[in-house]
Amino acid sequence: MSHAAVVTDKQPSTLRGASLPTWSPWAIAAGSLALAVVIGLAADLHSHIQWGLIAALLFVFGTYGIAARVEGRRQAKDRIATSLIWVSFLIALIPLVSLVWVTVQRGVKVLDVYFLTHSMGVVADSEPGGGIYHAILGSLEQVGLATAIGAPIGVLTAIYLVEYGRGSLAKSITFFVDVMTGIPSIVAGLFILSLMLNFDMQPFGFAGSLALAILMMPVVVRSTEEMLKLVPNELREASLALGIPKWRTILKVVLPTSIGGITTGIMLSIARIAGETAPVLLLVFGNPFINANPFEGAQASLPLYIYQQYSQSGGSTAAYDRAWAASLTLIAFVMILNLVARGIARWKAPKTGR
């Protein structure tokens, strides 16, 4: 008998047990949702959140019961773990989606070109009109200066800790970085405020940048340190074996390899400080007029503008609408930063090939 005949007559393996079809999770989810709606209507539950929680419980227990009956208890445990992960993801996603939806729904009422290109000027907080141009300009300058100060210091500190740091000095720096990571933002603002009072200085935008840089540096150090540790030591050793100095190895091998993660960490730190209000309130003080000089006079910023519109509006609908529109602008600003970070990380990532 030929080899082809042997292959043709071979029977398919029957060692694999029964399994649920690939569409079964979607069917179980749809059935759980329908049953949750019926239970909610029968029990007169008016909250959709309660309906969702009931559907989640039905989905988890339904998945386990069906999988245990068809595939066995061992495979059912695997499916219930997967179901819990998906349910946890959706529960975590609900507040985020709700926040974005409400912000967009309320922020688009007054968000237009006029709102983005005009300041409050002589418009009272309780009156309609005005815009956030002065707040956008202040935020861009303050966050930009804070990034120019905090990002290089944080990256260089991380390089020292990973590549050179040994002994008590490195341990002390690591300890203080851990402490600074958890300090409240108001503490950084009070520190800069104490220096301003000692030198009899008035509020100005650069003072807020200094406080934001203090908050930014530990985040940059921690994220950059972890990214540098992920670079294989073989790359460093290969470069050093060719006689290349260590500083050049770091500059040409280590940093380009980890530039994607470093950029992402810097963008995350910028996103954190972009929404800080307490240090800006203490040091920048707010200004309804346009001030393009961060080194002289009070300035505005988007978080401070939002806070002032809510706190000083006296129940004015126009002030609330401006606050929601400014919140939507701030969210869009952070999203644009993240998209830019992803683009830079992909552009600067090492080229891979076969």
Side-chain angles (χ1 to χ4, degrees), residues 58-230:
L58 291 174
F59 175 72
V60 172
F61 288 111
T63 300
Y64 179 78
I66 296 174
R69 185 176 181 85
V70 176
E71 300 177 330
R73 296 172 61 89
R74 184 175 182 179
Q75 187 66 20
K77 292 179 181 179
D78 178 74
R79 286 192 175 272
I80 197 173
T82 306
S83 301
L84 288 173
I85 292 173
W86 276 104
V87 169
S88 301
F89 166 72
L90 292 176
I91 291 175
L93 194 64
I94 288 173
L96 176 62
V97 174
S98 176
L99 173 64
V100 175
W101 172 255
V102 173
T103 306
V104 172
Q105 187 179 30
R106 299 191 178 186
V108 295
K109 293 181 179 179
V110 296
L111 186 60
D112 52 19
V113 176
Y114 178 88
F115 183 74
L116 295 174
T117 56
H118 287 75
S119 66
M120 290 301 293
V122 294
V123 179
D125 291 330
S126 58
E127 298 177 354
I132 58 171
Y133 176 77
H134 61 303
I136 294 176
L137 182 63
S139 287
L140 290 177
E141 291 181 347
Q142 293 160 28
V143 173
L145 289 171
T147 304
I149 297 171
I153 295 176
V155 172
L156 292 175
T157 303
I159 292 175
Y160 168 77
L161 292 176
V162 175
E163 304 293 339
Y164 298 98
R166 301 291 185 273
S168 58
L169 178 59
K171 293 179 180 179
S172 301
I173 294 175
T174 302
F175 172 75
F176 283 110
V177 168
D178 292 337
V179 172
M180 289 176 63
T181 303
I183 63 171
S185 59
I186 190 68
V187 175
L190 289 173
F191 171 70
I192 301 299
L193 180 62
S194 64
L195 296 179
M196 292 173 58
L197 294 176
N198 288 334
F199 292 97
D200 195 23
M201 302 174 69
Q202 298 298 319
F204 62 111
F206 185 66
S209 299
L210 294 176
L212 296 179
I214 294 175
L215 298 174
M216 181 182 187
M217 280 187 285
V219 181
V220 176
V221 172
R222 270 283 163 248
S223 60
T224 304
E225 189 177 0
E226 295 302 321
M227 291 300 105
L228 294 177
K229 289 179 179 178
L230 293 177

